[in-house]
Amino acid sequence: TKVTKEAVIYHNTMSEIKQIQKGDKLPDVDVQIFENDDAKTVKTSELFGKGTVVIIGVPGAYTPICTRDHCPSFIAGAKKLQEKKVDLVACISVNDVWVMNAWGEYMKTGQHVKMVADTAGLFGKATGMWKEYSAAILGGRTKRFALIVKEGVVTHVAVDDEGVATTSAEGVLPYL
């Protein structure tokens, strides 16, 4: 296998990106949402910049843990999150907006979780929440994470390499 100059630059660049931390301002990049039966590109500052937002990152739509445990915990915990004054829960993944919309319909997220497509991985890379899942044949994806953001500033960061102990709704609630 030939290693290209571009691959080395990409690897070195990705290894230098620091994971977002408490107190950091959320990066402003383009993501996609499904609105009025169509794809819409929005800036993360527009979507996540006001109020209290919980952003959950998942490696992929329809993947087992994401579909069975992670996202559903926020649907089930919607009332508790509202009581804690959460304005928006958003699920972001490196999938296209059509897949994210269909997955949201499949899980019946309704008004509880906004499905967000990070199609090019810009958000995952800019936050340092990026992982190469080559062994699992997924390629580059977001890590399984949860961020609490207040007025565009990160107030809590959680990452789970396995399971959803710290990134589920129950794992996030104590930090709101």
Side-chain angles (χ1 to χ4, degrees):
T1 303
K2 182 179 175 186
V3 177
T4 65
K5 178 181 174 184
E6 292 79 11
V8 170
I9 291 170
Y10 173 78
H11 174 74
N12 290 340
T13 303
M14 288 310 300
S15 64
E16 294 171 8
I17 294 176
K18 184 180 157 214
Q19 183 174 294
I20 199 161
Q21 300 292 314
K22 181 178 178 179
D24 289 347
K25 186 175 184 207
L26 206 60
D28 195 22
V29 298
D30 287 342
V31 294
Q32 296 78 38
I33 58 173
F34 195 77
E35 193 172 89
N36 300 322
D37 293 327
D38 204 2
K40 178 182 177 184
T41 298
V42 295
K43 291 283 189 190
T44 50
S45 60
E46 178 185 339
L47 198 55
F48 307 138
K50 301 280 187 224
T52 300
V53 181
V54 176
I55 305 168
I56 58 171
V58 298
Y62 294 102
T63 56
I65 293 173
C66 305
T67 303
R68 182 186 63 235
D69 302 323
H70 199 195
C71 198
S73 77
F74 287 89
I75 298 165
K79 185 174 180 177
K80 289 180 183 177
L81 292 161
Q82 288 171 343
E83 290 169 0
K84 294 281 191 169
K85 308 293 185 218
V86 172
D87 299 298
L88 174 68
V89 175
C91 177
I92 192 164
S93 184
V94 180
N95 289 104
D96 64 66
V97 70
W98 308 104
V99 168
M100 290 301 287
N101 181 61
W103 187 42
E105 288 177 353
Y106 172 80
M107 291 190 300
K108 297 177 177 49
T109 56
Q111 299 300 312
H112 303 300
V113 179
K114 184 162 210 58
M115 305 307 280
V116 180
D118 185 19
T119 307
L122 299 176
F123 185 79
K125 293 171 187 171
T127 57
M129 293 293 184
W130 189 256
K131 182 176 179 179
E132 291 295 326
Y133 288 91
S134 299
I137 313 172
L138 292 174
R141 299 292 180 120
T142 55
K143 297 175 183 178
R144 183 175 318 288
F145 69 86
L147 300 175
I148 299 174
V149 179
K150 294 184 179 180
E151 302 303 325
V153 176
V154 177
T155 62
H156 177 72
V157 178
V159 177
D160 280 320
D161 290 324
E162 293 184 21
V164 296
T166 66
T167 59
S168 66
E170 289 301 319
V172 167
L173 278 166
Y175 299 94
L176 289 165

